Amino acid sequence: IVGGPLLEGMSSVRLEVKEKSCVVLRNLCDPLEIATETQRTDLLSDCLSECKKFGTVISQQLLVVGDSVNLYLQYDKEASVEQAITALHNRWFGGRQLTVEPYNVDRYLMRDFE
């Protein structure tokens, strides 16, 4: 029902649409630095402890892309993406300068990573 008064016995239903936004941290490290599962886990743990300062992380993907490692994060709010970019873009991490930018949510959900 769109518009108009509710009939007797009906109640309004409020749909809550959660905003989900993604960000990518590029140039985290050399792929050789995450050759073992322990190294991957340690890097992910370090990154997430920092990235959770900006909001709730719903999911993440740590991937080797070319000669670098990228971390793709899905936050529950757009504001978290903006805060992460402001705080982390051009920051140095392990001797490498990060590039942090928004990532298309649909591509993230389809696991379409570049």
Side-chain angles (χ1 to χ4, degrees):
I1 299 174
V2 178
L6 296 175
L7 302 174
E8 186 177 330
M10 294 178 72
S11 63
S12 67
V13 176
R14 183 172 170 237
L15 294 177
E16 184 178 333
V17 177
K18 262 202 149 177
E19 181 184 327
K20 295 178 181 153
S21 299
C22 298
V23 65
V24 58
L25 287 71
R26 300 183 193 279
N27 200 33
L28 282 174
C29 67
D30 185 291
L32 296 175
E33 294 177 50
I34 60 164
T36 69
E37 189 60 35
T38 301
Q39 290 170 321
R40 284 181 65 88
T41 301
D42 290 347
L43 177 64
L44 190 55
S45 177
D46 288 347
C47 291
L48 287 177
S49 68
E50 186 66 20
C51 292
K52 287 180 178 179
K53 293 177 183 177
F54 312 113
T56 302
V57 175
I58 297 172
S59 64
Q60 69 278 328
Q61 287 288 327
L62 186 65
L63 299 171
V64 173
V65 179
D67 64 348
S68 181
V69 174
N70 295 347
L71 177 60
Y72 299 82
L73 299 171
Q74 182 182 22
Y75 281 103
D76 66 341
K77 295 182 182 162
E78 180 68 33
S80 300
V81 169
E82 294 168 14
Q83 291 174 8
I85 291 169
T86 300
L88 300 173
H89 184 65
N90 287 329
R91 186 168 159 184
W92 289 87
F93 180 78
R96 289 179 168 235
Q97 191 170 20
L98 300 179
T99 301
V100 183
E101 57 195 13
Y103 196 76
N104 181 281
V105 175
D106 293 328
R107 288 184 69 188
Y108 179 88
L109 294 173
M110 295 297 291
R111 301 295 186 236
D112 180 11
F113 302 109
E114 48 185 53

